[in-house]
Amino acid sequence: MSLQKSVTVTLDKPCTQATLRIDGISRPIIAPVLGVEPVGSDAPQTIYLASLVHRVGDPEYAGWSMSGAVSTILTRRGA
């Protein structure tokens, strides 16, 4: 059984900055956005961040997969 943490990802309107709010972390993580691949009209499928905000061994995040070696790539998981 894997531990999952809740994460909320918010993009500003021009999609230049992402804010991540993770359960158990009091401060939000704010990172510049390099690019976004939308899946629909409003929902991004993949968000490319300009910095590394995750680590190997972090718990799984509900709704998002985090990957990348130099910067974090957020990929929305299917519902």
Side-chain angles (χ1 to χ4, degrees):
M1 179 164 89
S2 63
L3 176 67
Q4 278 200 348
K5 285 194 169 195
S6 174
V7 63
T8 303
V9 178
T10 308
L11 292 172
D12 64 354
K13 270 302 183 196
C15 294
T16 59
Q17 181 174 293
T19 303
L20 288 75
R21 296 184 186 278
I22 300 172
D23 278 353
I25 299 176
S26 60
R27 288 182 152 191
I29 298 169
I30 300 171
V33 173
L34 295 173
V36 175
E37 290 181 20
V39 68
S41 60
D42 290 330
Q45 179 65 30
T46 306
I47 303 170
Y48 300 92
L49 301 180
S51 56
L52 192 64
V53 300
H54 76 287
R55 295 180 302 224
V56 174
D58 277 354
E60 291 185 24
Y61 297 98
W64 293 93
S65 294
M66 295 188 192
S67 62
V70 176
S71 62
T72 296
I73 301 167
L74 298 166
T75 306
R76 186 181 301 276
R77 292 185 189 166

